[in-house]
């Protein structure tokens, strides 16, 4: 990349909160054949040539492990150049100079906050006559204060449209590494949908609130006719309180405010260098009367291709499917995050691990995860430890079982869904390093005991006042130790590595586990024992789990660790009915409870809003947390029946094993795999069940206890009642 020979530039004096704009004017003499801009920044940037944005990429350069890797974007700008050109780049704090995480202070956070803003660019011009010219960042560039008076990840943005940058000054060279520059790896971040405001209403307390009817991650765009100096000020919220009043205490320290000082006339504006998670905005200041047509919510996220669709005869279930998709869209903004609204928005490893299979079915996430996993490898600590969040902006945080295991589970899942071993090659050292870390720090060889853990986070069997479910931490940690070791063995074998020692280790962990934990005490413990192949008699354990679920009133007691697998553990051992009962439960705790309460995304807590309308504590109550949306992988694989064998990754061959349930009438799933589109439908009729399957590959059809192989094609099957 030629940009590696350019120089970093920065401002010559501190601008405080104001975002600087850099500019370079240059002339071109002849007809241009091709012009290409390579550019990146320390911060997030917005680049224009002659007043036009160079690309629809927003929040570039995205979020990576900046000490090691900084993405460079390359834009074709051939059509934008004229004789006289003005290239301008506004740079905001973004993730680079962010106060993440919002709730705690650390040396590392101070270091980040004090980092300089910087820009580096390289423009290549090739003329029709073959002559070449380049424009690079250097001391000939200038900078000025931009209209953006403030922009920050948690607190929002302030723009004064009356300002035209005037006081142009020479830039300063910046000492910064060019070695960290890498080509764009992830998906571009784009505006992907515009959601019109549904209504404007006054709350009982007198606030004027705009409702978009859907929680989105992105920003609100305003269009209005105003006089210079008129002020628009609004904040953001996900829900209303039980009396219909404004509520955003769950944003905690994140102010999430947008402020705009108008110029004269009709104008349209939205924040440019930050984002918000919201369904509502409250107008704290607005000139004149606000109408719905003044407002549009714009969804912003990694622009992944949609690949999976679910639809059923149940409107509530369809709403849940929609919520899962919006949950992914709202939290796949370059990094898989826990939430988009409060003073967090971090790449929590555990959450990503829980949701990755669903994510990889609903959207093509191969590029997205490959990039994030490389950041994980870059941030992996010397002893193999993997931080709680990636990019690791909490280097002081200890890793936890089921969180650090993302290092192994995520690459394996990417390989399983898409079938390309490349991700395992990329990540193998990181995967193995994680297992070696556990081996080195455990207090009991062949198990993982001791150490800090998040446990079965948010488990419903948590003792009062705790976020951690009752499942034993050593149990969970040892189970994941076994699972990750097993995956390292599988990956290593595929890559032709010598993994004999890990194979032995895995056998030893399983034996030690069985000895140490002869009894399973909680739902999650049963689930892990079955799902990770640790139970000596999985059928008996799954049966016991089913009994336990029934004894608990056909209710979940699981948290982050148990929930993604519980339905699989049940339906794989003959308890699909019970799994469906859990899925279709409308009361708390159940997947359809939040939808009954009006959710448009997945909640962090089953009872984020309690049956009486009051809230779970404001400290930890996100209404856009994708984790429990992991149920969708069960719907694809078990309910609709679209599966593949582990040794046929990327759906090289299909296993069709549906689990219909008359309560929803019918279910249709469509999945665009690397081998083509699989479509599966079942319809419960009075006298039996009709199945329609379209498969692009050979498929093993498992119906009525029988297995038949079919070739690619379209099939209808029937089972009598
Ligand atoms: C996040 C979670 C995360 C957890 C770690 C929370 O604050 O939102 O989703 O995994 O912390 O326990």
């Amino acid at each position: 990349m030629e940009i590696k020979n350019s120089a970093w530039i920065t401002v010559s004096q501190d601008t405080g909160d104001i975002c600087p704009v850099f500019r370079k004017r240059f002339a071109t003499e002849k007809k241009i054949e091709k012009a290409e801009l390579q550019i990146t920044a320390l911060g997030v940037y917005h680049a224009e040539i002659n007043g036009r944005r160079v690309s629809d990429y927003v929040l570039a350069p995205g979020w990576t492990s900046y000490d090691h890797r900084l993405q460079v974007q390359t834009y074709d700008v051939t059509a934008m150049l004229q004789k006289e050109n003005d290239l301008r780049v506004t740079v905001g704090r973004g993730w680079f100079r962010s106060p993440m995480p919002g709730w705690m202070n650390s040396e590392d956070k101070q270091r980040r906050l004090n980092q300089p803003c910087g820009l580096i660019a390289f423009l290549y011009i090739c003329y029709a006559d073959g002559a070449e010219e380049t424009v690079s960042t250097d001391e000939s560039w200038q900078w000025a204060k931009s209209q953006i008076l403030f922009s920050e990840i948690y607190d929002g943005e302030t723009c004064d449209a009356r300002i035209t940058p005037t006081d142009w000054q020479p830039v300063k060279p910046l000492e910064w590494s060019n070695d960290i520059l890498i080509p764009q790896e992830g998906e571009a971040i784009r505006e992907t949908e515009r959601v019109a405001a549904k209504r404007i209403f006054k709350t009982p307390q007198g606030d004027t609130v705009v409702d978009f009817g859907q929680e989105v991650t992105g920003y609100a765009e305003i269009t209005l006719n105003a006089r210079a100096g008129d002020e628009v000020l609004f904040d953001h919220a996900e829900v209303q309180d039980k009396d219909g009043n404004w509520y955003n205490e769950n944003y905690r320290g994140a102010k999430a405010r947008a402020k705009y000082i108008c110029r004269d006339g009709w104008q349209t504006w939205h924040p440019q260098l930050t984002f918000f998670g919201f369904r509502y905005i409250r107008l704290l200041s607005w000139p004149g009367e606000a109408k719905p047509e003044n407002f549009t919510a714009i969804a912003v996220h990694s622009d992944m291709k949609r690949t999976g669709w679910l639809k059923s005869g149940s409107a509530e279930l369809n709403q849940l499917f929609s919520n899962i998709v919006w949950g992914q869209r709202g939290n796949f903004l370059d990094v898989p995050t826990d939430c988009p609204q409060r003073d967090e928005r971090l790449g929590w490893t555990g959450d990503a691990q829980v949701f990755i299979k669903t994510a990889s079915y609903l959207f093509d996430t191969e590029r997205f995860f490959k990039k994030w996993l490389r950041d994980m490898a870059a941030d992996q600590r010397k002893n193999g430890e993997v931080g709680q969040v990636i990019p690791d902006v909490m280097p002081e945080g200890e890793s936890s079982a089921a969180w650090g295991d993302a290092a192994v589970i995520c690459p394996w899942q990417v390989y399983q869904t898409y079938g390309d071993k490349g991700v395992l090659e990329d990540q193998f050292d990181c995967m193995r390093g994680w297992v070696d870390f556990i081996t080195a720090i455990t207090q009991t060889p062949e198990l993982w005991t001791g150490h800090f853990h998040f446990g079965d986070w948010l488990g419903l069997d948590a003792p009062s006042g705790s976020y951690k479910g009752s499942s034993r931490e050593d149990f969970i940690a040892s189970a994941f130790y076994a699972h990750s070791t097993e995956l390292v063995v599988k990956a290593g074998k595929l890559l032709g590595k010598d993994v004999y020692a890990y194979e032995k280790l895995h056998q030893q962990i399983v034996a030690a586990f069985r000895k140490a934990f002869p009894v399973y005490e909680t739902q999650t413990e049963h689930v892990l024992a079955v799902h990770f192949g640790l139970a000596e008699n999985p059928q008996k354990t799954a049966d016991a789990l089913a009994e336990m679920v029934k004894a608990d009133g056909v209710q979940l007691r699981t948290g982050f660790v148990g929930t993604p697998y519980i339905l699989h553990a049940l339906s794989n051992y003959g308890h699909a009915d019970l799994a469906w009962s859990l899925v279709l439960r409308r009361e708390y705790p159940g997947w359809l409870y939040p939808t009954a309460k009006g959710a448009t995304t997945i909640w962090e807590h089953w009872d984020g809003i309690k049956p009486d309308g009051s809230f779970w504590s404001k400290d930890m109550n996100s209404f856009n947390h994708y984790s429990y949306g992991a149920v969708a992988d069960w719907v694809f694989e078990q309910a609709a029946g679209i599966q593949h064998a582990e040794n046929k990754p990327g759906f090289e061959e299909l296993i069709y094993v549906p689990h219909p349930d008359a309560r929803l009438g019918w279910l249709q799933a469509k999945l665009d795999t690397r081998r083509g589109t699989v479509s599966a439908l079942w319809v419960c009729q009075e006298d039996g069940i009709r199945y329609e399957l379209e498969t692009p590959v050979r498929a093993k059809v498992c119906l009525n206890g029988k297995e038949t192989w079919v070739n690619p094609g379209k099939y209808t099957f029937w089972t009598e009642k």
Side-chain angles (χ1 to χ4, degrees), residues 103 252 338-339 342 344 348 350-351 388 403 454 457 560 604 620 625 627:
W103 70 90
R252 305 194 307 210
D338 58 333
C339 61
R342 68 182 178 216
E344 201 150 353
W348 284 98
D351 306 38
Q388 298 172 2
W403 269 250
F454 288 118
W457 187 246
F560 269 40
E604 180 173 22
M620 195 75 84
H625 239 67
S627 309

Short mmCIF file of all heavy atoms in Angstrom, two decimals, residues 103 252 338-339 342 344 348 350-351 388 403 454 457 560 604 620 625 627, ligand 1:
data_model
loop_
_atom_site.label_atom_id
_atom_site.label_comp_id
_atom_site.label_asym_id
_atom_site.label_seq_id
_atom_site.Cartn_x
_atom_site.Cartn_y
_atom_site.Cartn_z
N TRP A 103 -17.58 3.21 32.59
CA TRP A 103 -17.86 3.16 34.03
C TRP A 103 -16.60 3.03 34.89
O TRP A 103 -16.68 2.99 36.10
CB TRP A 103 -18.79 1.98 34.35
CG TRP A 103 -18.11 0.66 34.18
CD1 TRP A 103 -17.43 -0.03 35.14
CD2 TRP A 103 -18.02 -0.13 33.00
NE1 TRP A 103 -16.92 -1.19 34.62
CE2 TRP A 103 -17.27 -1.27 33.31
CE3 TRP A 103 -18.51 0.03 31.69
CZ2 TRP A 103 -16.99 -2.25 32.36
CZ3 TRP A 103 -18.23 -0.96 30.76
CH2 TRP A 103 -17.49 -2.07 31.10
N ARG A 252 -26.88 4.94 31.58
CA ARG A 252 -25.86 5.17 32.61
C ARG A 252 -25.08 6.46 32.28
O ARG A 252 -25.67 7.51 32.10
CB ARG A 252 -24.94 3.96 32.74
CG ARG A 252 -25.72 2.69 33.02
CD ARG A 252 -24.87 1.55 33.48
NE ARG A 252 -23.74 1.22 32.64
CZ ARG A 252 -23.24 0.00 32.52
NH1 ARG A 252 -23.79 -1.01 33.18
NH2 ARG A 252 -22.19 -0.23 31.78
N ASP A 338 -21.82 -5.69 22.90
CA ASP A 338 -22.90 -6.12 23.80
C ASP A 338 -24.15 -5.27 23.60
O ASP A 338 -25.26 -5.77 23.66
CB ASP A 338 -22.45 -6.06 25.26
CG ASP A 338 -21.98 -4.67 25.68
OD1 ASP A 338 -21.54 -3.90 24.82
OD2 ASP A 338 -22.06 -4.36 26.89
N CYS A 339 -23.96 -3.98 23.38
CA CYS A 339 -25.10 -3.08 23.32
C CYS A 339 -24.66 -1.79 22.62
O CYS A 339 -23.47 -1.51 22.55
CB CYS A 339 -25.60 -2.76 24.74
SG CYS A 339 -24.34 -1.95 25.75
N ARG A 342 -25.56 2.30 26.12
CA ARG A 342 -25.03 2.79 27.38
C ARG A 342 -23.51 2.98 27.29
O ARG A 342 -22.91 2.76 26.22
CB ARG A 342 -25.40 1.84 28.52
CG ARG A 342 -24.74 0.50 28.46
CD ARG A 342 -25.22 -0.38 29.61
NE ARG A 342 -24.63 -1.70 29.56
CZ ARG A 342 -25.28 -2.81 29.90
NH1 ARG A 342 -26.54 -2.77 30.28
NH2 ARG A 342 -24.65 -3.98 29.85
N GLU A 344 -20.94 1.56 27.35
CA GLU A 344 -20.27 0.26 27.23
C GLU A 344 -19.96 0.02 25.75
O GLU A 344 -18.89 0.33 25.28
CB GLU A 344 -21.18 -0.81 27.83
CG GLU A 344 -20.41 -2.03 28.21
CD GLU A 344 -21.00 -2.80 29.39
OE1 GLU A 344 -21.94 -2.35 30.04
OE2 GLU A 344 -20.49 -3.87 29.64
N TRP A 348 -17.54 -7.55 23.79
CA TRP A 348 -17.49 -8.61 24.81
C TRP A 348 -17.36 -9.97 24.13
O TRP A 348 -18.22 -10.36 23.32
CB TRP A 348 -18.76 -8.58 25.67
CG TRP A 348 -18.76 -7.47 26.68
CD1 TRP A 348 -19.37 -6.27 26.56
CD2 TRP A 348 -18.09 -7.47 27.95
NE1 TRP A 348 -19.13 -5.51 27.68
CE2 TRP A 348 -18.36 -6.21 28.55
CE3 TRP A 348 -17.30 -8.38 28.64
CZ2 TRP A 348 -17.86 -5.86 29.80
CZ3 TRP A 348 -16.81 -8.03 29.89
CH2 TRP A 348 -17.09 -6.79 30.45
N GLY A 350 -17.60 -13.02 25.38
CA GLY A 350 -18.61 -14.03 25.75
C GLY A 350 -19.87 -13.86 24.91
O GLY A 350 -20.42 -14.84 24.39
N ASP A 351 -20.32 -12.66 24.77
CA ASP A 351 -21.55 -12.41 24.02
C ASP A 351 -21.39 -12.87 22.57
O ASP A 351 -22.29 -13.48 21.99
CB ASP A 351 -21.90 -10.91 24.04
CG ASP A 351 -21.98 -10.35 25.45
OD1 ASP A 351 -21.17 -10.74 26.30
OD2 ASP A 351 -22.85 -9.51 25.70
N GLN A 388 -11.49 -9.66 28.21
CA GLN A 388 -12.95 -9.74 28.28
C GLN A 388 -13.59 -9.11 27.06
O GLN A 388 -14.68 -9.48 26.65
CB GLN A 388 -13.45 -9.02 29.54
CG GLN A 388 -12.92 -9.64 30.81
CD GLN A 388 -13.26 -8.82 32.04
OE1 GLN A 388 -13.91 -7.79 31.97
NE2 GLN A 388 -12.80 -9.29 33.19
N TRP A 403 -15.93 -16.65 28.06
CA TRP A 403 -15.62 -15.36 27.40
C TRP A 403 -14.35 -15.58 26.56
O TRP A 403 -14.38 -15.51 25.34
CB TRP A 403 -15.47 -14.24 28.44
CG TRP A 403 -16.78 -13.54 28.71
CD1 TRP A 403 -17.10 -12.28 28.35
CD2 TRP A 403 -17.94 -14.07 29.37
NE1 TRP A 403 -18.41 -11.98 28.74
CE2 TRP A 403 -18.93 -13.07 29.36
CE3 TRP A 403 -18.26 -15.30 29.94
CZ2 TRP A 403 -20.20 -13.26 29.91
CZ3 TRP A 403 -19.52 -15.49 30.49
CH2 TRP A 403 -20.46 -14.48 30.47
N PHE A 454 -17.13 -15.00 35.02
CA PHE A 454 -18.46 -14.38 35.00
C PHE A 454 -19.54 -15.42 35.29
O PHE A 454 -20.71 -15.08 35.41
CB PHE A 454 -18.75 -13.73 33.65
CG PHE A 454 -17.96 -12.48 33.41
CD1 PHE A 454 -17.06 -12.39 32.37
CD2 PHE A 454 -18.14 -11.38 34.25
CE1 PHE A 454 -16.33 -11.22 32.15
CE2 PHE A 454 -17.42 -10.21 34.04
CZ PHE A 454 -16.51 -10.13 32.99
N TRP A 457 -23.53 -16.09 33.55
CA TRP A 457 -23.90 -14.67 33.65
C TRP A 457 -25.40 -14.46 33.44
O TRP A 457 -25.98 -14.97 32.48
CB TRP A 457 -23.10 -13.88 32.62
CG TRP A 457 -23.23 -12.39 32.70
CD1 TRP A 457 -23.79 -11.57 31.77
CD2 TRP A 457 -22.75 -11.55 33.75
NE1 TRP A 457 -23.71 -10.27 32.19
CE2 TRP A 457 -23.07 -10.23 33.39
CE3 TRP A 457 -22.08 -11.79 34.96
CZ2 TRP A 457 -22.75 -9.13 34.20
CZ3 TRP A 457 -21.76 -10.70 35.76
CH2 TRP A 457 -22.10 -9.40 35.37
N PHE A 560 -26.19 -16.74 30.30
CA PHE A 560 -25.45 -16.64 29.03
C PHE A 560 -24.84 -17.98 28.60
O PHE A 560 -24.72 -18.26 27.42
CB PHE A 560 -24.31 -15.63 29.17
CG PHE A 560 -24.67 -14.23 28.79
CD1 PHE A 560 -25.90 -13.69 29.12
CD2 PHE A 560 -23.77 -13.43 28.09
CE1 PHE A 560 -26.23 -12.39 28.79
CE2 PHE A 560 -24.09 -12.13 27.74
CZ PHE A 560 -25.32 -11.61 28.09
N GLU A 604 -31.39 -7.59 27.21
CA GLU A 604 -30.33 -8.19 28.02
C GLU A 604 -30.94 -9.10 29.09
O GLU A 604 -30.41 -10.18 29.37
CB GLU A 604 -29.53 -7.07 28.69
CG GLU A 604 -28.39 -7.54 29.56
CD GLU A 604 -27.53 -6.38 30.05
OE1 GLU A 604 -28.04 -5.24 30.07
OE2 GLU A 604 -26.37 -6.62 30.41
N MET A 620 -27.85 -2.18 34.61
CA MET A 620 -27.50 -3.23 33.65
C MET A 620 -28.77 -3.63 32.95
O MET A 620 -29.30 -4.69 33.16
CB MET A 620 -26.93 -4.41 34.48
CG MET A 620 -26.20 -5.45 33.71
SD MET A 620 -24.58 -4.97 33.19
CE MET A 620 -23.66 -5.36 34.68
N HIS A 625 -29.42 -6.23 23.32
CA HIS A 625 -28.31 -7.13 23.64
C HIS A 625 -28.58 -8.41 22.85
O HIS A 625 -29.55 -9.07 23.10
CB HIS A 625 -28.39 -7.46 25.13
CG HIS A 625 -27.20 -7.08 25.92
ND1 HIS A 625 -26.85 -5.78 26.12
CD2 HIS A 625 -26.30 -7.83 26.60
CE1 HIS A 625 -25.77 -5.75 26.89
NE2 HIS A 625 -25.40 -6.98 27.18
N SER A 627 -27.47 -11.47 22.75
CA SER A 627 -27.13 -12.82 23.20
C SER A 627 -28.28 -13.84 23.14
O SER A 627 -28.14 -14.91 22.58
CB SER A 627 -26.56 -12.78 24.61
OG SER A 627 -25.55 -11.83 24.66
C1 LIG B 1 -22.09 -6.76 29.27
C2 LIG B 1 -22.27 -8.20 28.97
C3 LIG B 1 -20.93 -8.82 29.23
C4 LIG B 1 -20.77 -8.73 30.70
C5 LIG B 1 -19.63 -9.43 31.27
C6 LIG B 1 -21.88 -6.65 30.72
O1 LIG B 1 -21.80 -5.38 31.19
O2 LIG B 1 -23.12 -5.97 28.78
O3 LIG B 1 -23.03 -8.55 27.95
O4 LIG B 1 -20.70 -10.05 28.70
O5 LIG B 1 -20.80 -7.40 31.14
O6 LIG B 1 -20.10 -10.09 32.29
#
